[in-house]
Amino acid sequence: MDQEEPRGEVVTAGATREKKPSFFARFFGGIALFLRQVVAELRKVVTPTRKELIKFTLVVLVFVLIVMGIVYGLDTLFAWLTHIVFGVPSA
């Protein structure tokens, strides 16, 4: 009879395992990695020109004014509907 070949990983008696770094080494290594990545991302940032900055600011202000108008209109509508539905009791 033919013997089947072993499946999976074969571990020898003299095999050594890698030692896991300590908690503090992983913690501070993680912080250092994070700071390196932050600096790398900040190098990619492009500062807008004065013209672009003014344009973007105006777009945001117009958008905020439009949303304020919608919220004001809905608030007025709901206040009017509430007044119609529940009314004001006479004194």
Side-chain angles (χ1 to χ4, degrees):
M1 267 217 260
D2 290 332
Q3 191 174 7
E4 292 183 14
E5 298 213 10
R7 295 181 186 151
E9 190 176 312
V10 178
V11 179
T12 60
T16 59
R17 283 180 29 183
E18 273 189 41
K19 188 175 179 184
K20 188 175 178 183
S22 69
F23 169 76
F24 292 107
R26 285 183 285 143
F27 180 75
F28 290 114
I31 290 176
L33 174 65
F34 172 73
L35 291 176
R36 281 195 305 270
Q37 290 174 343
V38 166
V39 170
E41 288 298 321
L42 285 175
R43 286 189 179 133
K44 297 177 186 177
V45 173
V46 178
T47 306
T49 63
R50 183 173 181 86
K51 188 175 180 180
E52 290 174 330
L53 188 63
I54 291 171
K55 182 174 70 172
F56 295 155
T57 302
L58 289 175
V59 167
V60 169
L61 289 176
V62 168
F63 179 75
V64 168
L65 287 173
I66 291 170
V67 171
M68 283 174 53
I70 291 170
V71 170
Y72 174 77
L74 288 173
D75 182 52
T76 304
L77 174 70
F78 290 138
W80 178 74
L81 285 174
T82 304
H83 182 71
I84 296 297
V85 171
F86 297 109
V88 177
S90 56

